[in-house]
Amino acid sequence: IAVHALKSPETESFHSLTGSKSFLERGLLLLVIMIFLEGTVLTLGAASSPDISAQDNTGGGHNHLDDHRGIAGSHDHTNYTYSKKAFPVLSLDYHHIQVPFEISLWVLLASLMKLGFHLIPRLSSIVPESCLLIVVGLLVGGLIKLAGEDVPPVLDSNLFFLCLLPPIILDAGYFLPIRPFMENIGTILMFAVVGTLWNAFFVGGLLYAVCQIEGTYLSQVELLPCLLFGSIISAVDPVAVLAVFEEIHINELLHILVFGESLLNDAVTVVLYHLFEEYSGAGEVTPMDVVLGVICFLIVSLGGIAVGAIYGILAAFTSRFTSHTRVIEPLFVFVYSYMAYLSAEMFHLSGIMALIACGAVMRPYVEANISHKSHTTVKYFLKMWSSVSETLIFIFLGVATVAGPHAWNWTFVSVTVILCLVSRVIGVVGLTFIINKFRIVKLTTKDQFIVAYGGLRGAIAFSLGYLLDKDHFPMRTMFLTAIITEIFFTVFVQGMTIKPLVDLLAVKKKQEAKRSINEEIHTQFLDHLLTGIEDICGHYGHHHWKDKLNRFNKKYIKKCLIAGERYKEPQLIAFYHKMEFKQAIELVESGGGVKLPSAVPSQVSMQNIQPKKLPPPVAERALPQFTKGREEEIRKILRSNLQKTRQRVSADPGSDLPSANLRGNIRRATAKLISDPFWGGVPLG
């Protein structure tokens, strides 16, 4: 209204008559009008805040007409008393943000503990990180209990299996070294399946025998609950193995054996757990139940792998069409993997094996489709997520130890620790004796000791024990106490002493060497050579089936799952591009790229631009220059003789050697290649 009054024609004529008024007088006039309007608004605001406590109680309420009259200035003010409420400048509402605030606080505490641990080199060289985190959890739980508060059940089974465990397993499966894993798959399966069954029945059976001894006060413990406890406590935990083995930098063979066992024994643990839990109430297990248990194991393991492979293929196929929306590329990797885990758990299949299969299947195709930035995002987000989850698991394990009730029985707890250690040693030594009869690279005594000593238990066993029903298992509290004691023994005693033992025994450690293009060439050459030898001998071995799978993958699967023309790119060229790109990134990160122009050629390209003069001895041995026609002829010879599809030729009846026709073909092909001028000019030695 004031602005309209100032801009009206009457006001403008008035200002024209009184042009001598200063700008200050006009400002004062506007200020007076604003003060008047402010007083009016405050009066209406105060009138609109009725004091409900002063209502007339005779009518049991009031109508809106009375409110309107009161606000409009009616003379009837007997039923209401109006008071102005102060605006809340600062208020506290913790319950509104309690859950996300506490989750953020736990994550922050875990991250700070991990940061502080690595800032003290002497401490990290003596004590494993997992041990320190468990101690932090014990201290936090103790402080909460001393403050008179109830310690929250932070290591709830649903929280563990649905939130904390999947990122750790996905990180392990996505970056799983496929080649050493597949080369040792037989040994890993022996340790994971046969070894876990041996540990479960050995520990469970002898525990039941000990419980029947008079004076132990454990005669009420039956056989099936003991076998159930043995199946829970016998499985090697992947989280604990990762936490300890990555710090001691053990060699690749031992690492993949123990870690592969911890991943693949999940199916055995799930089947035994559900089988013994199902029949603990019945009191007996029939031979038919044993047969069904074997079938269930196959369904749980193979079903989990199938579910993971399906979701991995879907993730790879989806990544074909993300070239225009690079931002959401990492999202598909995480969501498809988590859906694979949840789908497997929904049908009581092995969620761990589903995640491993999903990550291993989709990685080569997804990396070929997504951008480098998306690949970096996937890599570091997975590493960060798995590291935080691993840290929270160990802290929560310490908190749960303080929070939960315990039923301590010296006999049961001490016998459990001893039997777990003895069964592990006997199982590894016995299985290795059988395995070494079929292995080319034998497992030495030192290797057997590290594999046996590295069988660590962790939070998976605790969560499975936490899931037990108190009504069906009255000894659940004693089981949890024994499980926590076994976890503490393996993590603290074995985890703290394995690194000095590795140094004392001079066990070979992991070599942090980067793969070169020369190594990749020789690796592929040896693969083709061994495949050719198997084909000549007429033996369908490991390399033969691997070559068949690679050909099928290149001919059909890559064409469907990799976008554009990249599926035609040879493996060696793809490795070269990856290595070249990695070298360029390292050059920039090291500061060498600051003085270089924006388009920096690779080291190989720079060598081509500025070739150095070869020394005389090398220059004399250099190959002569060929014309384009001669080069094309050489390529044709190589294609027709070295890249021809191999055929299996049957051997002569009663003879172990190839047929005469095959020998003649080999001689003729060899003579043709050696007699060629190109090969004649190169010293074959």
Side-chain angles (χ1 to χ4, degrees):
I1 295 171
V3 173
H4 180 71
L6 290 174
K7 291 184 178 181
S8 62
E10 293 81 3
T11 308
E12 292 179 358
S13 60
F14 174 76
H15 281 299
S16 62
L17 293 175
T18 59
S20 60
K21 286 189 175 181
S22 64
F23 177 76
L24 181 60
E25 292 174 339
R26 282 183 252 172
L28 290 176
L29 177 61
L30 181 61
L31 182 61
V32 170
I33 296 174
M34 292 300 296
I35 292 175
F36 173 76
L37 290 176
E38 184 181 4
T40 306
V41 172
L42 288 177
T43 305
L44 291 175
S48 63
S49 302
D51 188 0
I52 306 299
S53 61
Q55 293 181 12
D56 186 12
N57 298 327
T58 58
H62 63 277
N63 53 30
H64 297 285
L65 183 60
D66 294 335
D67 290 343
H68 179 70
R69 288 177 179 176
I71 296 174
S74 175
H75 296 286
D76 188 8
H77 294 283
T78 57
N79 294 333
Y80 298 91
T81 302
Y82 300 97
S83 62
K84 178 184 175 182
K85 290 184 178 179
F87 183 79
V89 178
L90 180 64
S91 60
L92 178 64
D93 189 6
Y94 176 70
H95 295 286
H96 179 62
I97 51 94
Q98 180 178 2
V99 174
F101 182 80
E102 291 180 356
I103 292 175
S104 303
L105 199 60
W106 279 112
V107 173
L108 181 61
L109 173 65
S111 304
L112 290 176
M113 291 300 104
K114 193 178 186 72
L115 178 63
F117 173 77
H118 289 283
L119 289 177
I120 309 175
R122 181 173 297 180
L123 182 63
S124 60
S125 62
I126 300 174
V127 183
E129 180 183 321
S130 54
C131 299
L132 182 69
L133 295 174
I134 290 178
V135 172
V136 171
L138 292 172
L139 294 176
V140 171
L143 291 176
I144 295 176
K145 210 161 191 178
L146 287 176
E149 300 289 336
D150 294 332
V151 182
V154 287
L155 199 60
D156 182 72
S157 295
N158 289 330
L159 172 67
F160 175 76
F161 283 111
L162 299 181
C163 300
L164 297 179
L165 185 61
I168 301 174
I169 304 301
L170 177 60
D171 175 61
Y174 192 81
F175 298 103
L176 183 71
I178 299 296
R179 186 181 185 90
F181 182 80
M182 296 305 299
E183 289 177 350
N184 298 279
I185 188 65
T187 306
I188 292 172
L189 285 175
M190 284 288 289
F191 285 139
V193 180
V194 183
T196 305
L197 288 173
W198 158 259
N199 291 336
F201 285 98
F202 182 86
V203 174
L206 288 184
L207 264 178
Y208 175 72
V210 171
C211 290
Q212 302 309 308
I213 300 175
E214 295 183 0
T216 58
Y217 305 103
L218 296 171
S219 58
Q220 71 275 16
V221 182
E222 299 177 354
L223 177 60
L224 284 177
C226 282
L227 292 176
L228 174 63
F229 175 78
S231 65
I232 293 174
I233 202 66
S234 60
V236 179
D237 188 80
V239 182
V241 170
L242 272 176
V244 173
F245 271 56
E246 287 189 353
E247 293 184 18
I248 62 177
H249 301 288
I250 201 69
N251 65 75
E252 195 174 44
L253 174 62
L254 296 180
H255 185 275
I256 202 65
L257 288 181
V258 181
F259 181 59
E261 176 194 357
S262 67
L263 292 175
L264 299 188
N265 65 13
D266 177 68
V268 181
T269 304
V270 168
V271 172
L272 291 178
Y273 179 85
H274 289 297
L275 183 67
F276 292 136
E277 185 185 30
E278 183 73 22
Y279 293 105
S280 291
E284 61 178 81
V285 179
T286 63
M288 189 62 184
D289 296 330
V290 177
V291 175
L292 292 176
V294 175
I295 297 175
C296 183
F297 164 72
L298 296 176
I299 293 176
V300 167
S301 56
L302 299 179
I305 294 174
V307 170
I310 291 173
Y311 275 97
I313 292 174
L314 289 176
F317 185 75
T318 307
S319 65
R320 283 195 62 180
F321 310 100
T322 58
S323 58
H324 301 290
T325 52
R326 296 293 189 186
V327 178
I328 61 174
E329 285 177 337
L331 185 64
F332 289 116
V333 175
F334 305 136
V335 174
Y336 274 116
S337 303
Y338 194 54
M339 289 295 294
Y341 180 81
L342 295 180
S343 300
E345 290 292 326
M346 181 171 57
F347 294 101
H348 288 290
L349 302 176
S350 176
I352 291 179
M353 298 189 74
L355 268 181
I356 294 294
C358 182
V361 166
M362 71 177 171
R363 183 188 177 186
Y365 310 108
V366 169
E367 286 188 351
N369 290 328
I370 65 177
S371 65
H372 179 73
K373 291 181 179 180
S374 298
H375 170 64
T376 305
T377 303
V378 171
K379 177 181 178 181
Y380 285 100
F381 187 81
L382 270 182
K383 294 295 182 184
M384 178 204 68
W385 197 9
S386 63
S387 178
V388 171
S389 296
E390 178 186 311
T391 306
L392 287 174
I393 284 173
F394 287 112
I395 290 182
F396 287 170
L397 190 61
V399 175
T401 304
V402 178
H406 299 287
W408 185 268
N409 186 289
W410 277 102
T411 303
F412 191 85
V413 172
S414 57
V415 169
T416 297
V417 174
I418 295 172
L419 288 180
C420 286
L421 193 59
V422 172
S423 66
R424 179 71 181 173
V425 173
I426 296 176
V428 170
V429 173
L431 290 176
T432 307
F433 177 77
I434 301 173
I435 291 169
N436 277 342
K437 295 182 179 296
F438 303 95
R439 284 183 63 92
I440 298 176
V441 180
K442 311 295 182 184
L443 295 177
T444 63
T445 306
K446 294 179 182 179
D447 297 337
Q448 297 175 41
F449 175 78
I450 297 300
V451 172
Y453 204 72
L456 308 178
R457 275 66 169 182
I460 290 182
F462 176 82
S463 298
L464 289 175
Y466 192 84
L467 283 174
L468 294 177
D469 190 359
K470 296 181 181 179
D471 297 331
H472 294 102
F473 300 96
M475 308 302 292
R476 170 181 177 271
T477 306
M478 186 179 69
F479 285 173
L480 282 176
T481 303
I483 290 172
I484 290 175
T485 306
E486 173 64 17
I487 293 172
F488 279 26
F489 177 81
T490 57
V491 172
F492 280 91
V493 178
Q494 295 177 213
M496 291 179 64
T497 56
I498 190 171
K499 187 174 183 179
L501 288 174
V502 166
D503 296 334
L504 181 64
L505 297 174
V507 179
K508 184 180 178 182
K509 292 190 177 182
K510 183 178 180 181
Q511 301 294 329
E512 298 293 340
K514 299 178 183 178
R515 293 188 67 183
S516 62
I517 193 71
N518 190 21
E519 182 182 354
E520 183 70 18
I521 291 173
H522 282 78
T523 301
Q524 294 189 24
F525 169 73
L526 288 175
D527 288 341
H528 287 291
L529 180 63
L530 293 173
T531 307
I533 292 174
E534 289 183 356
D535 289 345
I536 291 174
C537 297
H539 173 67
Y540 284 170
H542 166 72
H543 294 87
H544 174 86
W545 292 112
K546 180 182 176 182
D547 180 73
K548 292 288 186 185
L549 184 62
N550 287 336
R551 289 173 180 272
F552 180 80
N553 178 39
K554 183 178 180 181
K555 190 174 182 180
Y556 299 105
I557 302 180
K558 278 188 174 182
K559 191 179 296 184
C560 298
L561 300 183
I562 297 180
E565 299 294 324
R566 293 200 62 182
Y567 71 92
K568 297 181 180 179
E569 191 175 59
Q571 182 181 354
L572 189 62
I573 302 300
F575 177 79
Y576 171 75
H577 287 163
K578 186 185 297 184
M579 186 185 68
E580 192 178 37
F581 197 78
K582 187 176 181 180
Q583 287 179 351
I585 293 176
E586 291 177 353
L587 183 67
V588 174
E589 290 179 349
S590 63
V594 178
K595 299 180 180 180
L596 296 177
S598 57
V600 183
S602 65
Q603 296 179 1
V604 179
S605 302
M606 292 172 67
Q607 292 174 3
N608 293 334
I609 294 173
Q610 298 176 350
K612 296 181 179 180
K613 187 176 181 180
L614 296 174
V618 181
E620 292 175 0
R621 295 177 55 189
L623 295 177
Q625 297 293 330
F626 297 100
T627 62
K628 291 184 178 180
R630 184 58 179 154
E631 289 181 358
E632 183 62 30
E633 184 181 352
I634 293 171
R635 292 194 186 97
K636 184 177 180 181
I637 294 174
L638 292 176
R639 282 197 301 268
S640 60
N641 293 281
L642 297 182
Q643 296 184 358
K644 188 180 295 183
T645 304
R646 290 182 289 272
Q647 301 291 333
R648 180 172 183 259
V649 183
S650 59
D652 293 332
S655 175
D656 294 334
L657 298 176
S659 63
N661 292 333
L662 178 61
R663 290 197 299 269
N665 291 334
I666 294 174
R667 283 197 300 270
R668 283 191 293 272
T670 306
K672 181 179 180 182
L673 287 174
I674 295 178
S675 62
D676 190 90
F678 172 72
W679 294 98
V682 180
L684 297 179

